[in-house]
């Protein structure tokens, strides 16, 4: 961090007087204390090492995605290229002590953007660095949720045509759009479809209504209830688009390993939250085709 302070902040004259130096120093010491208390230096150094290797190959790495750009330490050690002080980005949105409980330290979530054509090379580097059996991509399940399960129930029961099906389901939002509101619902009644019946009652009223006692009524009530019961059901399984797990132990000793349909190395047969629960470090390595295009333009410019 001190090297980054000299290389970035002093060299770019961001620290140019006592007031600016105090602003950056206070932020650095606050972040450092939180990260030290959670014993997360190893996590940051792993991510830094991967980014450094990508850059050392002459490839582009993303400047910083999401809340990770709010960490001054990430900026100083070269993980991100965005100054959070300059843009008033909040560290606590990225990480705060409130996420931790006794006996459980929550890991940060720093997404790494790399060229799509080089993503397999980055994962291969991680396997060379930490051990072939200690690094793996991971399983993910496709679940029937909200809109998709409603469509499945209506289709299988041959209830209505596609036009009416689309009219019904357009009033059922994606989970990500209402995730905070779902958390506020009673766990026993937590349902995207039930949320829609409460909040979009007028639009869905011709098909199904929610009674005060929580039961359903209406021409399509039985199908809405069936869809609510099926929410969260696994439908498909496959390889997570971005997730890579690193473990201190060989992964085959910690979790089931799954064959991929197209061959290649086996993948960890648990989803990311369960891999973290048994001691794995989950990283997101995202392949961005935009970075490939920019690199292509750079090569053309250099040739011409």
């Amino acid at each position: 961090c001190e090297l980054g302070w000299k290389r970035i902040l002093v060299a770019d004259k961001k620290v140019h007087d006592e007031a600016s130096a105090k602003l950056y120093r206070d932020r650095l010491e606050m972040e450092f204390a939180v990260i030290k208390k959670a014993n997360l230096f190893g996590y940051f150094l792993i991510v830094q090492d991967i980014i450094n290797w990508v850059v050392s190959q002459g490839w582009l790495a993303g400047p910083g995605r999401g809340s990770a750009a709010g960490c001054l330490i990430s900026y100083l050690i070269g993980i991100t290229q965005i100054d959070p002080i300059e843009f008033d980005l909040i560290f606590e949105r990225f990480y705060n002590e409130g996420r931790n409980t006794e006996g459980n330290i929550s890991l940060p979530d720093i997404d790494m953007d790399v060229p799509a054509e080089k993503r397999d090379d980055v994962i291969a580097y991680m396997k060379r660095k930490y051990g072939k059996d200690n690094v793996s991509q991971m399983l993910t399940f496709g679940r029937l949720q909200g809109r998709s399960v409603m469509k499945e129930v209506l289709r299988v029961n041959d209830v209505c045509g596609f036009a009416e099906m689309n009219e019904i389901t357009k009033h059922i939002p994606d989970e990500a759009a209402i995730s905070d509101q779902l958390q506020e619902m009673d766990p026993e009644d937590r349902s995207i479809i039930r949320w829609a019946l409460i909040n979009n009652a007028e639009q869905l009223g011709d098909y199904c209504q929610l009674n005060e006692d929580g039961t359903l009524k209406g021409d399509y009530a039985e199908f809405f209830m069936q869809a609510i019961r099926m929410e969260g059901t696994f439908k498909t399984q496959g390889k997570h688009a971005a997730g890579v797990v690193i473990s201190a132990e060989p992964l085959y000793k910690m979790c089931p390993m799954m064959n991929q349909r197209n061959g290649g190395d086996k993948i960890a047969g648990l989803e990311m939250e369960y891999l973290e629960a048994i001691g794995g470090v989950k990283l997101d390595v995202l392949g961005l085709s935009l970075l490939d295009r920019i690199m292509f333009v750079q090569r053309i410019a250099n040739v011409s």
Side-chain angles (χ1 to χ4, degrees):
C1 287
E2 294 294 350
L3 290 172
W5 182 285
K6 296 174 184 176
R7 187 184 72 253
I8 300 171
L9 300 183
V10 175
D12 291 349
K13 296 183 180 179
K14 294 189 176 188
V15 174
H16 52 79
D17 56 22
E18 185 175 339
S20 61
K22 185 177 187 307
L23 180 65
Y24 280 92
R25 178 61 63 179
D26 288 349
R27 175 67 168 263
L28 172 58
E29 290 180 353
M30 179 274 289
E31 292 186 9
F32 197 89
V34 172
I35 293 168
K36 181 178 181 179
K37 184 176 180 180
N39 194 26
L40 293 172
F41 291 135
Y43 176 90
F44 280 83
L45 293 174
I46 288 171
V47 176
Q48 181 203 39
D49 176 70
I50 295 169
I51 295 295
N52 284 348
W53 184 82
V54 170
V55 173
S56 74
Q57 304 304 300
W59 306 334
L60 291 177
R65 174 191 289 263
S67 62
C71 178
L72 178 62
I73 285 178
S74 292
Y75 178 58
L76 294 178
I77 68 176
I79 292 175
T80 61
Q81 300 167 38
I82 298 166
D83 181 352
I85 302 294
E86 180 180 350
F87 296 100
D88 294 325
L89 302 179
I90 303 170
F91 173 71
E92 288 79 7
R93 186 171 178 270
F94 164 63
Y95 194 83
N96 63 79
E97 292 183 66
R99 293 170 48 167
N100 301 324
T101 57
E102 187 174 349
N104 178 57
I105 298 295
S106 173
L107 294 178
D109 186 16
I110 300 177
D111 294 339
M112 291 175 278
D113 293 330
V114 301
E117 293 181 1
K118 306 299 183 183
R119 182 173 182 270
D120 289 343
D121 296 312
V122 175
I123 296 172
Y125 167 75
M126 294 168 66
K127 290 185 176 184
R128 292 194 301 272
K129 180 88 176 187
Y130 300 105
K132 186 175 185 295
D133 293 327
N134 299 60
V135 177
S136 172
Q137 296 182 76
M138 65 185 68
L139 179 75
T140 187
F141 291 107
R143 293 172 171 81
L144 288 169
Q145 295 283 25
R147 187 180 297 143
S148 64
V149 71
M150 193 75 242
K151 282 190 173 183
E152 286 288 324
V153 168
L154 294 174
R155 180 184 63 80
V156 169
N157 287 286
D158 197 19
V159 177
C160 58
F162 283 108
E164 189 175 14
M165 190 185 302
N166 289 333
E167 178 61 30
I168 294 170
T169 56
K170 78 179 184 181
H171 302 298
I172 301 174
D174 292 330
E175 182 180 13
I178 59 168
S179 58
D180 291 342
Q181 296 172 60
L182 287 174
Q183 292 302 313
E184 295 173 0
M185 296 178 71
D186 187 311
E188 294 185 1
D189 295 328
R190 192 172 294 156
S191 156
I192 300 170
I193 297 172
R194 192 175 289 276
W195 182 95
L197 288 171
I198 295 170
N199 294 276
N200 296 330
E202 183 177 347
Q203 294 89 336
L204 294 171
D206 290 340
Y207 309 100
C208 182
Q209 306 97 43
L210 187 66
N211 293 317
E212 290 185 5
D213 62 0
T215 59
L216 305 183
K217 65 180 180 180
D219 294 343
Y220 288 14
E222 65 174 298
F223 307 115
F224 272 76
M225 182 55 69
Q226 184 180 359
I228 289 172
R229 289 198 304 269
M230 292 178 62
E231 277 188 279
T233 302
F234 292 159
K235 182 182 181 183
T236 60
Q237 71 177 42
K239 184 169 64 175
H240 193 284
V244 181
V245 62
I246 302 177
S247 170
E249 295 280 336
L251 282 160
Y252 62 77
K253 293 184 178 181
M254 299 175 61
C255 70
M257 302 298 290
M258 310 254 326
N259 289 317
Q260 299 186 62
R261 290 182 180 177
N262 59 352
D265 293 340
K266 295 182 183 232
I267 63 173
L270 294 176
E271 291 191 293
M272 57 186 179
E273 59 265 34
Y274 300 109
L275 289 168
E276 285 193 344
I278 61 175
V281 176
K282 189 271 294 184
L283 301 170
D284 283 320
V285 183
L286 298 99
L288 262 62
S289 58
L290 177 62
L291 294 177
D292 294 293
R293 296 191 190 102
I294 294 173
M295 288 166 57
F296 176 70
V297 171
Q298 288 177 327
R299 289 196 298 271
I300 291 175
N302 289 334
V303 168
S304 60

